Amino acid sequence: MTNLPIQRHRAILDLLERAETARTSDLAAQLGVTRETIRTDLAHLAGRGLLRLVYGGVVRLGLHEPDLQARLATNIEGKTRIARRAAELVPDGVRLALDCGSTTLALARALRARVGLKIWTNDIAIAQELGDRAEMTLLGGVFSVPHNTTTGPDAAEMMAGYNVDLAFISLGGLCAAQGLTDFDRDGLSLRNTMRAMATDCYFLADHGKFGRPAPLRWKLPATAKAVICDRAPGPKEQAMLNEIGLPLILA
């Protein structure tokens, strides 16, 4: 039984990361609470724009990235494992570009023991997390309240003025049919710039991204070393990664 509302909310969102729909009755049975309690939870999450209510249940919002608070509440364990594995690839004294997102924020926390880092990011939470531990450059641009980031052409232009050793980039989705995907042009443009200015880059994708549709498709950068995941994707996604020559690192 999951008693606390925040625990139920996380469980519901985690389930919808893996499936497109869920029935109210099934959620109530799975979480060990009444249908009235689940309806209250679903109404709360729908009010935050994290899912859509339909007759008898809910559906996932697949084509719009959830806000930061929703992403921070999903698959915490898996994202932490990815972050720890990624941190093993970062020696002291290197220059890093860190993309915005819940997984890269977990990576920032895993890097607090490193010394001599120089970091470029558009994520305000990452800048706050490592600002006292590294030389931090916050990329300028238009401020996005839901994601707590800066974005737009100004951010990409500023990033283009720096060379970095490593870039860690969050994927919007990892699909057999669509390949590596993302949600918005400004975000993809900045991530492409981070990739272009890096000697090596790694993609980060927890299992909630597997099979997840998103409207924009990545062109695989030549500097991509691997994608780091918390579990192995399905056979079709794995075949896609093999076809494009992108190695998989399991955390």
Side-chain angles (χ1 to χ4, degrees):
M1 180 180 295
T2 306
N3 291 314
L4 295 177
I6 190 171
Q7 293 175 327
R8 295 195 303 272
H9 297 168
R10 287 174 179 170
I12 292 167
L13 293 172
D14 277 343
L15 186 148
L16 287 178
E17 287 283 354
R18 300 188 297 271
E20 293 187 356
T21 65
R23 294 178 59 84
T24 304
S25 57
D26 293 339
L27 289 172
Q30 183 173 340
L31 298 179
V33 295
T34 65
R35 294 189 186 186
E36 289 73 19
T37 297
I38 284 295
R39 290 192 184 101
T40 299
D41 291 336
L42 297 179
H44 171 79
L45 293 171
R48 292 178 57 195
L50 305 180
L51 50 78
R52 182 162 62 89
L53 298 175
V54 297
Y55 181 77
V58 292
V59 297
R60 182 179 68 182
L61 298 179
L63 296 182
H64 298 280
E65 190 172 27
D67 66 21
L68 177 62
Q69 292 306 312
R71 287 178 283 134
L72 288 173
T74 59
N75 193 22
I76 297 171
E77 179 183 353
K79 292 174 182 178
T80 300
R81 293 205 311 272
I82 291 171
R84 290 173 178 168
R85 182 65 184 89
E88 294 174 358
L89 303 171
V90 181
D92 291 338
V94 297
R95 298 163 298 171
L96 297 176
L98 293 183
D99 179 27
C100 61
S102 54
T103 309
T104 46
L105 177 57
L107 172 56
R109 291 167 178 159
L111 292 174
R112 285 190 59 82
R114 297 292 188 275
V115 296
L117 297 181
K118 295 182 179 181
I119 298 173
W120 287 260
T121 187
N122 67 319
D123 190 310
I124 292 172
I126 289 176
Q128 292 172 327
E129 180 67 37
L130 286 175
D132 65 336
R133 310 291 297 179
E135 182 180 316
M136 180 67 61
T137 299
L138 181 63
L139 301 172
V142 178
F143 177 52
S144 169
V145 175
H147 302 298
N148 201 32
T149 62
T150 58
T151 187
D154 289 338
E157 182 178 352
M158 184 175 176
M159 185 69 236
Y162 298 95
N163 292 314
V164 296
D165 301 303
L166 294 169
F168 290 94
I169 295 171
S170 297
L171 289 175
L174 193 159
C175 305
Q178 298 178 345
L180 312 182
T181 61
D182 212 326
F183 284 94
D184 69 275
R185 290 189 179 279
D186 283 342
L188 182 58
S189 175
L190 177 56
R191 293 177 183 105
N192 262 317
T193 304
M194 287 181 170
R195 178 272 309 170
M197 307 315 296
T199 302
D200 294 319
C201 81
Y202 293 87
F203 291 111
L204 309 178
D206 74 289
H207 67 268
K209 307 293 179 67
F210 298 166
R212 184 181 186 182
L216 301 177
R217 182 177 298 185
W218 271 87
K219 293 181 180 179
L220 186 67
T223 53
K225 300 293 288 185
V227 56
I228 306 175
C229 303
D230 59 331
R231 67 175 64 166
K236 292 182 179 180
E237 284 79 16
Q238 184 65 69
M240 179 273 294
L241 292 176
N242 292 339
E243 183 178 346
I244 64 177
L246 185 62
L248 173 69
I249 297 177
L250 291 181

